[in-house]
């Protein structure tokens, strides 16, 4: 998901790495109305998720504001990491309309623990060092 992290990062002026951001969640949810189970076991034991119009409306409200705080000064602090085998989210062109740094890794939409270590963590470190140099 992209909207909430990018809104928070933009409002607070902090750096953010968005992994395979899905920048149009309402479109994703509309196609999946109904009951679902989470992919991974949740700590609270609840495995069911219901996508309904109320949830879609809540995401629509968030999505309506996702670009409200973006401006050129922050475009260098929010980076995107896109899986070359992501068959779900294809928002790099939209991302690059607002931000300047897009990176790629060979994985899919949901990164493995190894991919997080190999691709995400080094980028987070690079982003933090980059952010320090901007101060």
């Amino acid at each position: 998901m992209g909207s909430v992290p990018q809104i928070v990062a933009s409002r607070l002026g902090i750096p953010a790495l968005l992994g395979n951001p899905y920048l149009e969640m309402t479109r994703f949810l509309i196609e999946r109305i109904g009951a679902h189970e989470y992919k991974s076991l949740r700590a609270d034991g609840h495995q069911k998720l219901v996508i309904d119009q109320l949830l879609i409306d809540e995401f629509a409200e968030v999505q309506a504001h996702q670009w409200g705080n973006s401006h050129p000064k922050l475009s260098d602090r929010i980076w995107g990491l896109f899986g070359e085998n992501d068959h779900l989210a294809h928002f790099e062109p939209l991302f690059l309309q607002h931000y300047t740094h897009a990176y790629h890794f060979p994985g899919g939409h949901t990164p493995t623990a190894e991919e997080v270590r190999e691709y995400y963590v080094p980028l987070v470190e690079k982003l933090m060092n980059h952010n320090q140099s901007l101060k």
Side-chain angles (χ1 to χ4, degrees):
M1 179 169 67
S3 298
V4 173
Q6 77 187 84
I7 290 171
V8 170
S10 294
R11 284 188 181 166
L12 298 179
I14 60 175
L17 176 63
L18 305 179
N20 292 318
Y22 205 106
L23 300 173
E24 294 180 9
M25 279 301 290
T26 54
R27 187 171 76 185
F28 174 82
L29 294 172
I30 286 169
E31 297 171 0
R32 290 163 178 83
I33 290 176
H36 302 273
E37 287 196 17
Y38 288 103
K39 291 181 186 179
S40 299
L41 184 63
R42 291 174 40 125
D44 65 8
H46 295 285
Q47 284 305 111
K48 298 219 185 281
L49 164 70
V50 176
I51 298 173
D52 58 14
Q53 191 59 51
L54 179 61
L55 181 65
I56 294 168
D57 292 345
E58 289 177 10
F59 271 96
E61 178 65 26
V62 172
Q63 193 173 309
H65 301 287
Q66 72 182 350
W67 307 111
N69 290 306
S70 64
H71 48 81
K73 184 176 100 175
L74 295 174
S75 70
D76 200 37
R77 293 182 177 201
I78 298 177
W79 295 4
L81 180 57
F82 298 89
E84 294 168 356
N85 291 302
D86 183 349
H87 301 291
L88 187 61
H90 306 282
F91 294 100
E92 184 177 2
L94 177 58
F95 179 88
L96 287 172
Q97 289 178 22
H98 300 274
Y99 307 114
T100 57
H101 295 282
Y103 299 90
H104 299 96
F105 72 103
H109 185 72
T110 304
T112 64
E114 183 179 317
E115 289 169 334
V116 169
R117 282 189 300 273
E118 189 172 343
Y119 300 101
Y120 281 71
V121 171
L123 267 181
V124 168
E125 291 171 344
K126 182 176 178 178
L127 175 60
M128 298 309 292
N129 288 334
H130 176 77
N131 188 56
Q132 290 298 322
S133 71
L134 293 176
K135 290 183 178 183

